[in-house]
Amino acid sequence: MKKDFLSVSDFTSSEVADVVRQAESLRRSMVRPLEGKIVALLFEKPSLRTRVSFEIGIRQLGGDCMYLSKEDVNLGVREPVEDVARVLDRWVDGIVARVNEHESLVTMASHMNVPVINALSDLEHPCQAMADLQTIAQHKGAFAGLRVAYIGDGNNVAASLAVGCASVGADFVIANPPAYGIPDSVWGTAMQRAEASGSSVTRVEMPEDAAQGADVVYTDTWVSMGQETERVERVKAFANYQVSPALMEYAKPDCIFMHDMPAYAGAEISEGMIDDPRSVVFDQAENRLHAQNAVMVALFK
Ligand code: NVA
């Protein structure tokens, strides 16, 4: 049976923990499960970290890849998603796709006999979450008892992180304006996993309440790709949700600061926050490579 990675919840909680451990060991030693295999990278949205880290990772694992842009494929416009999927399925050994609508991934996965990996959708960014967990483990050791505070939009990054933290037993708290929470479907999964792992997932409104006593403070852009027409209203709604040294004062003294990037200084972070001594954002970016390699090892074994 082929396996896909469209959501963090496609891995059981113990598989999530295994991938995070494997990611750390792949930093030092390499395996080659993709020897002789070709993976297509199909991207409907721009990418720096995801595209480059997948291209490098696929080659490190012994495979090769090709990049297909929005213009090359025009998913669902030039031809239906299911036809694109069935054609690619005849040639490639796997697909890494960044899509506008999560549903496109679900359609692809159900029409392909090879693994489909979510390289970001409107609903989840599971590869980012695996790298985030690896980074948290790298800086904090064990997950149990850690408080991960996410400040801002309950977007794809927040959704995957919530399920990821709940899977490995870290407490997750999000502060968001009422209309910008994590979708109920994903939140429900996070709650179930938190209950099973003995951790908690909580929503609050005020950023200070989330940051209070936190081991990790995390934020992401207020305007995700595809939401550009909502920019004005979003900037207004999130005006009090900026992560700054003043907000970090509420957290533990050894708290780390995380951001998946691209980061917008003057919006979700204050000027200089990327270079704050508590910032681990470049470790996070590096870990995309190792974490995705671990995901591919799990799917292509
Ligand atoms: N939430 C952001 C993540 C970018 C990597 C977006 O979807 O644009």
Side-chain angles (χ1 to χ4, degrees), residues 4-11 102 118 123-124 126 160:
D4 304 302
F5 188 52
L6 310 189
S7 302
V8 173
S9 56
D10 284 338
F11 287 152
H102 190 81
N118 180 357
L123 187 65
E124 279 210 45
S160 290

Side-chain angles (χ1 to χ4, degrees), residues 81-101:
V81 178
E82 46 268 51
D83 289 357
V84 173
R86 285 180 287 187
V87 169
L88 288 175
D89 190 54
R90 297 293 176 107
W91 297 319
V92 301
D93 301 287
I95 186 155
V96 172
R98 169 165 286 193
V99 296
N100 293 321
E101 282 148 30

Side-chain angles (χ1 to χ4, degrees), residues 203-274:
R203 286 171 167 156
V204 296
E205 196 168 333
M206 303 302 291
E208 295 78 10
D209 292 339
Q212 188 67 50
D215 299 281
V216 177
V217 167
Y218 196 123
T219 193
D220 183 24
T221 182
W222 297 336
V223 187
S224 285
M225 291 179 276
Q227 298 173 335
E228 291 77 7
T229 56
E230 302 169 26
R231 179 175 300 280
V232 173
E233 63 198 89
R234 285 180 161 270
V235 167
K236 208 166 133 199
F238 288 105
N240 295 325
Y241 287 78
Q242 186 180 76
V243 174
S244 63
L247 184 68
M248 295 293 288
E249 282 295 303
Y250 289 86
K252 289 197 180 135
D254 63 349
C255 180
I256 54 173
F257 165 68
M258 298 178 72
H259 193 307
D260 53 289
M261 306 172 94
Y264 301 97
E268 79 274 6
I269 56 165
S270 61
E271 297 290 341
M273 201 58 224
I274 285 288

Side-chain angles (χ1 to χ4, degrees), residues 9 13 158-167 169-172 174 182-203:
S9 56
S13 292
S160 290
L161 186 64
V163 179
C165 286
S167 302
D171 295 328
F172 176 86
I174 179 169
I182 291 172
D184 288 343
S185 58
V186 182
W187 191 253
T189 305
M191 283 181 60
Q192 281 166 8
R193 290 210 170 187
E195 199 177 332
S197 70
S199 61
S200 64
V201 288
T202 321
R203 286 171 167 156

